[in-house]
Amino acid sequence: DAGVIQSPRHEVTEMGQEVTLRCKPISGHNSLFWYRQTMMRGLELLIYFNNNVPIDDSGMPEDRFSAKMPNASFSTLKIQPSEPRDSAVYFCASSLLAGNQPQHFGDGTRLSIL
Amino acid sequence: GQQVMQIPQYQHVQEGEDFTTYCNSSTTLSNIQWYKQRPGGHPVFLIQLVKSGEVKKQKRLTFQFGEAKKNSSLHITATQTTDVGTYFCAGINNAGNMLTFGGGTRLMVKP
């Protein structure tokens, strides 16, 4: 079975540029999560979707961050404009149902903003 | 909001020694999950505990959920180098809608 697929695996870009991270959840999963992981702040939930609808985006740092899920098999996380402090590993995860089901994580996108 | 704390942050052990990480929540949890993240990898689900006082075992790993459902522990017996990684607990509150991760315990095993 294909797991959660994220792209790109690595992204290096200059500050001010737009960054788009992509995620394909496991087929049949109806909850999708975006996390950010840094040494300083650990694993932070940014936003999650149930059935393609954003449920809680309270973890989104600021207006520069936006996330969409246009259909059940695709989600994007955009940062515009990017800043060096956005450098982190961004994980996408999916599960059958938010809350009491295991979450399956993708390999992550390692983002470096210069 | 709900907070989940883990101690210790780091643990160095000699191969063969035991290891325990503790997880504490500021609120009562409906259930708790444990994940392992290898260096350079992504978190991988290990187990979920639901019942008060529940104990589950996976080979050398023993997971426990506290009677008050506000704390949990993971104990590894006779660590091996393959146990290296960061262990996260993640709690779900009684509203049952969101998983809150602890800060993780990074385990290093010296051969």
Side-chain angles (χ1 to χ4, degrees):
Chain A
D1 284 345
V4 175
I5 299 172
Q6 290 187 246
S7 65
R9 288 295 309 275
H10 303 272
E11 174 95 5
V12 180
T13 192
E14 292 186 347
M15 65 177 292
Q17 297 297 307
E18 177 179 292
V19 172
T20 300
L21 311 181
R22 296 173 175 80
C23 176
K24 178 178 168 51
I26 292 173
S27 177
H29 282 189
N30 52 16
S31 295
L32 183 141
F33 310 82
W34 282 100
Y35 291 91
R36 178 173 68 177
Q37 187 174 41
T38 60
M39 289 294 292
M40 290 296 294
R41 300 177 68 90
L43 196 60
E44 303 173 274
L45 176 66
L46 300 177
I47 186 171
Y48 83 94
F49 296 82
N50 272 357
N51 296 317
N52 314 339
V53 176
I55 301 300
D56 189 332
D57 65 353
S58 59
M60 296 286 262
E62 46 198 275
D63 292 346
R64 297 184 298 105
F65 285 68
S66 64
K68 293 183 180 179
M69 192 164 186
N71 57 61
S73 58
F74 184 65
S75 177
T76 59
L77 177 67
K78 282 191 180 180
I79 309 173
Q80 168 63 21
S82 57
E83 296 182 4
R85 61 191 167 125
D86 301 330
S87 299
V89 180
Y90 290 81
F91 288 106
C92 175
S94 70
S95 72
L96 279 171
L97 194 68
N100 59 1
Q101 295 294 322
Q103 293 187 13
H104 300 261
F105 284 75
D107 288 335
T109 295
R110 186 171 295 275
L111 178 63
S112 296
I113 309 295
L114 306 176
Chain B
Q2 178 183 314
Q3 291 189 346
V4 177
M5 292 147 287
Q6 270 185 267
I7 55 169
Q9 274 190 296
Y10 306 95
Q11 183 88 59
H12 290 259
V13 300
Q14 196 72 41
E15 187 172 22
E17 291 181 341
D18 292 355
F19 159 77
T20 304
T21 172
Y22 300 91
C23 180
N24 291 287
S25 170
S26 57
T27 60
T28 302
L29 302 170
S30 67
N31 58 50
I32 196 156
Q33 298 177 0
W34 284 91
Y35 292 76
K36 176 184 178 182
Q37 183 177 20
R38 294 183 187 275
H42 58 271
V44 175
F45 173 78
L46 294 177
I47 207 161
Q48 177 169 272
L49 304 171
V50 179
K51 299 176 185 174
S52 168
E54 188 171 13
V55 178
K56 286 188 176 180
K57 292 192 175 186
Q58 287 180 350
K59 297 182 181 178
R60 294 178 294 103
L61 277 60
T62 302
F63 304 84
Q64 193 162 10
F65 202 6
E67 293 290 340
K69 299 185 77 173
K70 293 183 74 173
N71 57 73
S72 181
S73 65
L74 158 59
H75 180 82
I76 302 178
T77 304
T79 54
Q80 299 175 359
T81 54
T82 52
D83 295 326
V84 162
T86 301
Y87 292 84
F88 292 95
C89 64
I92 300 167
N93 61 22
N94 284 327
N97 53 8
M98 260 179 54
L99 200 60
T100 301
F101 279 81
T105 296
R106 184 178 171 191
L107 172 64
M108 289 154 279
V109 180
K110 288 178 275 190

